Each structure stands twice: as C-alpha cells, then as structure tokens.
C-alpha cells in the first residue's frame, strides 16, 4: 500500500491515471465506481460494460457524472473516441472493453461463472490484465485461466478486499518475517447449509443484494469457493471434506491450540474457517516459528509461547480495496492472489434437499445445492460434480439430501463455456 499510493499520486500528477474498465453494474460495481470516481485521482474508471445499459449509466450519474458526458459505444474505436473527448463509455458488449487499447486492465464484477468465463477468455485474447471479483469462476477454472493468461503475457488476479486476497496479503507478510504458515482461515458469523433465497430475502433487501448471492454466503458455498482459491494459491489442502469449520465464540487467538500441528505439517498447511470467531468479519493465519530465537521474540511481542502464533486482519473492505488491486497489477505486475499451479482444492455440489430424477439444478445460492471443499485428487477420483458448473444440470437419478453429486448423476447443459473449460482443466491437471 505504501508503494501503491505513491505510484498513484505520481500518475495523478502526470495527468495519466490508471485507466480501466469494469464488467458488471451490480452491488459491488456501484461501490467500486463511487470509490474511484470520487476519491482516487490516480485512477480512472473509463468504461462500464453491463447487459442492461441503464444500470451502467446510473452508476456514473449517481457518482456525479453529467449525463452528457456518458456515451454508449459499440466498438473499441468508439470507446477510444469517447476517452479522447473526456467522456465515459458504457456498452453491453464486453469485447469493446477487451479490445480498447487505452484500457490498462479490467475488473470482472459479475459473480456469474458462465458469463465470467466468457469475458475472461475475451480479455485474455485481447491482451488485457483481469482482476476477478468472481470467486466462483476462479475456484472452478482458475488454474486453467491462469495458465492461458500467462501464455498470453497478461495477468489474471483475484482482488484485495475480499477474504481470499486479504488472507494472501497476510500470508505474504507472515512468510516475509520468516515464519511458516500452517492455517489460512476465514471468519464467519453464520453458517446453515439449508438456507435458501426465501429465508434470505429480507436480509438481501436490507443490503441491496440478490437473495441468491446472500444465500451463498449463509449456506457455506461462498466460503468454500473463497477457501478453495486460497488453497490453489498456496498449495494448502483441506483437512476433511467441507473443512473443519470449528464454532468458537471468542478471539481467534484462542484457537491456536485447537489444531493438530503434526497433521498440519503433514498436509503442508490447511485452509479452514471458524463460525463465531472474533474479530468478525476478518481473516487469520496461524504460523509456526522456525527456531527458538524466533519463538523467544514472538513471545516478547505478546504473541504467546506457540507453537502456533496468531495473526489476523479484523476487516475486509471490499470495494475500498479492489481499485488498489488494479493498481498493483498495472503498476507493479503484482498479483494479489492467483493459482500457484494446478488445482489443489475443489468445490463440489451437495444436495440441499432430496432431489428427484429430472430436476434441473438452480446453482449457486439456490434452493437445491450447496458447495463443499474437497481436495482435488479426491474430487477427481470420485468423479464429483464441481459446484461452479452445476447450474442448469439435469438429474439422471434421485439424489438424497446431503449427498455429494457426481458427473454420473447429471446431464450437463449443452454449449456451456465454463463446462468446456472445466473439462479442459481436468485433462491438463489430471492428478
């Protein structure tokens, strides 16, 4: 941050802000736009792409941009003309942003796996750096997308502000002071596998979000995607299907003695979460000292006697930090979080209720399934169905409540790019 703020100040002083485009005009997109357009002079949100243009236009207008400075564009050339004229561009075609030379990066802020896959592939083909606010896409086909981005000479990165990025920032700090991370954890206030859009409707309305999105928070699907991303970026595994997921109503510092350290070492570290832990919301990393001198000074620094030491961040500020991710990527070539190599942890679909033959699955945050973390070799050996491509799949047979689904249980939707990419990823990284 202390490097990024100076670099952005220099770009602002030179009249050359970091120009980027955004895909999506939903809840998170509105916050990002407000942050950049009002409070970050070193950055310029030049264009917004959304399926419905009025939503994109409203974002700019709500941030104080006069309507006559907002122009609809249909080609990259028209977008470039708009920028030269000091105007802001909106479009419904992602290719326009992916092909525009003046845009230095894109932010994918839709949260939809299929649409996100299409846009990200277009961005890679167009030579654009991509910052994903799409944990669902990243956890499903992120390793393959990272490989394709590397081959194209562009950066694919997750973002600051969401828990996976905050965990990686904290892990990098812990590693930088010479400690060995053993647990990367996420703090939740609630988890109930059987929440649905009906039970979450009031909460969604209160915060201006969709019922399906907040259901994915409550039923454990979202945190499964988030921790799978962390696993793929670190090489850490899960200790068991679904993670351990302790319930602890107190500071996470009190949890350092609750893990089997020998097991953590055997697995090379684990990703996990706690329900009810403090500070909430936040993330934690438990790390091990490498010698008695480190242990002595950690104790002197009031972190206790070990053998695990607790580090945490008591917040994740989402839209406030995402623009800094764009700056890190553009100005320093620094990925916030990305798969290290092949998949390490998968997110598989489990039945939220008894499912009958012929049922078409409704996907993320719905009435029918929830997501669980599983180590990738197990997922592949058991032919388990990834949660990220479950939407639209039709059941070939009955599946009882809480049973994990397999590829044999379903007929996948035809023509899905996400399904195609996932099949390719499994071939490339077959364990």
């Amino acid at each position: 941050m202390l490097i990024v703020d100076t670099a952005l100040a220099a770009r602002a002083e030179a009249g050359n802000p970091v120009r980027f485009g955004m895909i999506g005009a939903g809840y998170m997109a509105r916050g990002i736009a407000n942050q950049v357009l009002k409070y970050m002079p070193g950055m310029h949100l030049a264009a917004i792409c959304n399926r419905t243009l009025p939503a994109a236009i409203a974002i700019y207008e709500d941030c104080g941009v006069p309507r006559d400075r907002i122009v609809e564009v249909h080609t990259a050339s028209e977008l470039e003309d708009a920028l030269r004229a000091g105007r802001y561009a909106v479009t419904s075609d992602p290719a326009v942003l992916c092909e525009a030379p003046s845009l230095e990066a894109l932010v994918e802020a839709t949260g939809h796996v299929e649409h996100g896959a299409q846009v990200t592939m277009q961005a890679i083909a167009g030579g654009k750096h991509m910052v994903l606010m799409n944990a669902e896409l990243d956890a499903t086909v992120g390793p393959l997308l990272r490989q394709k981005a590397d081959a194209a000479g562009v950066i694919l990165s997750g973002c600051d502000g969401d828990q996976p990025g905050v965990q990686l920032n904290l892990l990098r700090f812990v590693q930088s002071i010479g400690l060995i991370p053993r647990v990367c954890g996420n703090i939740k206030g609630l988890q109930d596998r059987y929440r649905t859009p009906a039970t979450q409707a009031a909460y969604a309305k209160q915060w201006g979000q969709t019922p399906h999105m907040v259901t994915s928070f409550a039923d454990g699907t979202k945190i499964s995607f988030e921790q799978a991303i962390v696993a793929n970026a670190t090489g850490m595994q899960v200790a068991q299907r679904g993670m351990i997921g302790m319930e602890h109503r107190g500071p996470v510092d009190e949890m350092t003695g609750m893990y089997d350290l020998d097991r953590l070492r055997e697995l090379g570290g684990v990703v996990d979460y706690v329900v009810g832990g403090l500070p909430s919301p936040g993330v934690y990393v438990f790390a091990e000292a490498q010698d008695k001198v480190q242990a002595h000074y950690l104790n002197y620094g009031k972190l206790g006697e070990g053998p695990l030491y607790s580090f945490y961040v008591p917040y994740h500020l989402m839209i406030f930090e995402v623009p800094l991710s764009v700056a890190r990527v553009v100005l320093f070539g620094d990925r916030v979080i990305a798969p290290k190599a092949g998949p390490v942890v998968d997110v598989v679909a489990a039945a939220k209720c008894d499912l009958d033959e012929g049922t078409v699955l409704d996907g993320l945050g719905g009435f029918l399934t929830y997501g669980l973390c599983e180590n990738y070799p197990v997922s592949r050996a058991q032919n388990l169905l990834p949660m990220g491509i479950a939407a639209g799949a039709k059941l070939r047979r009955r599946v009882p409540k809480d049973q994990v689904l397999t590829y044999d249980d379903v007929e996948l939707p035809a023509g899905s790019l996400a399904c195609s990419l996932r099949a390719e990823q499994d071939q490339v990284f077959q364990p």
Side-chain angles (χ1 to χ4, degrees):
M1 174 59 197
L2 296 180
I3 296 175
V4 170
D5 65 346
T6 302
L8 286 176
R11 290 287 291 256
E13 179 68 22
N16 181 30
V18 174
R19 292 176 175 84
F20 72 101
M22 184 162 62
I23 313 294
Y27 182 76
M28 291 298 175
R30 291 195 300 272
I32 293 168
N34 186 77
Q35 187 70 9
V36 172
L37 292 169
K38 293 182 178 180
Y39 307 113
M40 300 189 73
M43 304 197 72
H44 179 57
L45 177 55
I48 299 174
C49 174
N50 198 58
R51 297 180 192 183
T52 56
L53 286 181
I57 293 169
I59 283 183
Y60 279 128
E61 289 185 317
D62 290 347
C63 293
V65 178
R67 182 63 183 86
D68 60 5
R69 290 189 62 199
I70 306 168
V71 59
E72 180 181 353
V73 297
H74 302 91
T75 66
S77 177
E78 290 179 0
L79 192 155
E80 293 293 315
D81 290 342
L83 297 186
R84 281 190 290 269
R87 303 172 82 182
Y88 295 84
V90 296
T91 183
S92 59
D93 183 0
V96 173
L97 274 62
C98 295
E99 296 169 4
S102 294
L103 298 184
E104 298 176 84
L106 302 178
V107 173
E108 205 291 321
T110 69
H112 295 282
V113 175
E114 179 65 23
H115 185 62
Q118 294 172 4
V119 170
T120 302
M121 288 295 288
Q122 285 181 292
I124 291 171
K128 286 284 181 289
H129 302 313
M130 175 66 89
V131 174
L132 293 176
M133 288 191 74
N134 194 330
E136 296 81 0
L137 174 67
D138 199 344
T140 304
V141 292
L144 181 68
L145 292 176
R146 164 74 192 267
Q147 185 183 79
K148 291 180 180 295
D150 287 353
V154 297
I155 292 174
L156 180 75
S157 174
C159 62
D160 292 288
D162 213 356
Q163 289 99 324
V166 179
Q167 286 174 71
L168 256 290
N169 290 339
L170 182 57
L171 177 136
R172 285 172 64 174
F173 165 74
V174 168
Q175 290 178 322
S176 75
I177 62 173
L179 305 186
I180 305 172
R182 296 299 188 191
V183 180
C184 278
N186 204 329
I187 301 171
K188 283 182 64 72
L190 163 76
Q191 180 157 289
D192 179 352
R193 302 284 189 201
Y194 312 113
R195 294 296 178 103
T196 71
T199 66
Q200 303 310 110
Y203 182 87
K205 183 177 181 180
Q206 176 186 353
W207 291 103
Q209 295 181 279
T210 67
H212 282 75
M213 179 59 73
V214 299
T215 299
S216 76
F217 301 160
D219 71 8
T221 299
K222 186 72 169 183
I223 201 169
S224 297
F225 282 119
E226 290 172 346
Q227 295 310 93
I229 292 171
V230 177
N232 291 343
T234 62
M236 293 180 171
Q237 301 182 61
V238 292
Q240 62 189 45
R241 180 173 293 173
M243 299 179 281
I244 300 170
M246 301 178 195
E247 184 166 332
H248 178 71
R249 303 291 169 177
V252 293
D253 294 344
E254 299 172 351
M255 296 175 56
T256 54
M258 298 179 183
Y259 287 92
D260 180 339
L261 183 54
D262 289 335
R263 179 64 172 153
L264 297 181
R265 291 168 176 163
E266 177 188 343
L267 292 170
V270 301
V271 295
D272 201 12
Y273 69 95
V274 58
V275 177
L278 298 173
S280 181
V283 305
Y284 58 95
V285 170
F286 295 160
E288 185 179 8
Q290 298 201 57
D291 60 36
K292 292 181 179 180
V293 176
Q294 284 188 335
H296 170 80
Y297 282 99
L298 288 167
N299 193 15
Y300 179 73
K302 311 302 182 188
L303 268 68
E305 297 182 355
L308 286 178
Y309 301 89
S310 174
F311 299 82
Y312 59 82
V313 176
Y315 52 79
H316 62 99
L317 297 180
M318 299 172 294
I319 60 93
F320 296 93
E321 298 181 77
V322 172
L324 300 176
S325 308
V326 178
R328 285 172 63 175
V329 166
V330 171
L331 300 175
F332 300 103
D334 183 30
R335 294 176 183 84
V336 178
I337 180 170
K340 196 174 185 178
V344 178
V345 167
D346 208 356
V347 181
V348 300
K352 192 175 284 190
C353 56
D354 291 337
L355 302 174
D356 294 327
E357 180 183 348
T359 298
V360 176
L361 300 180
D362 55 0
L364 310 176
F367 291 88
L368 304 180
T369 56
Y370 59 84
L372 291 171
C373 280
E374 178 56 273
N375 289 321
Y376 183 67
V378 176
S379 173
R380 294 299 303 129
Q382 297 182 10
N383 203 31
L384 302 183
L385 177 67
M387 184 68 183
I389 61 170
K394 185 178 181 179
L395 289 184
R396 294 187 172 122
R397 55 196 176 203
R398 184 180 181 276
V399 177
K401 181 179 179 179
D402 291 323
Q403 181 172 300
V404 291
L405 282 77
T406 71
Y407 278 101
D408 294 332
D409 293 325
V410 301
E411 180 181 339
L412 293 173
S416 165
L417 177 60
C419 290
S420 175
L421 290 172
R422 178 56 195 236
E424 181 182 353
Q425 176 173 284
D426 288 337
Q427 289 182 336
V428 171
F429 298 110
Q430 181 71 42

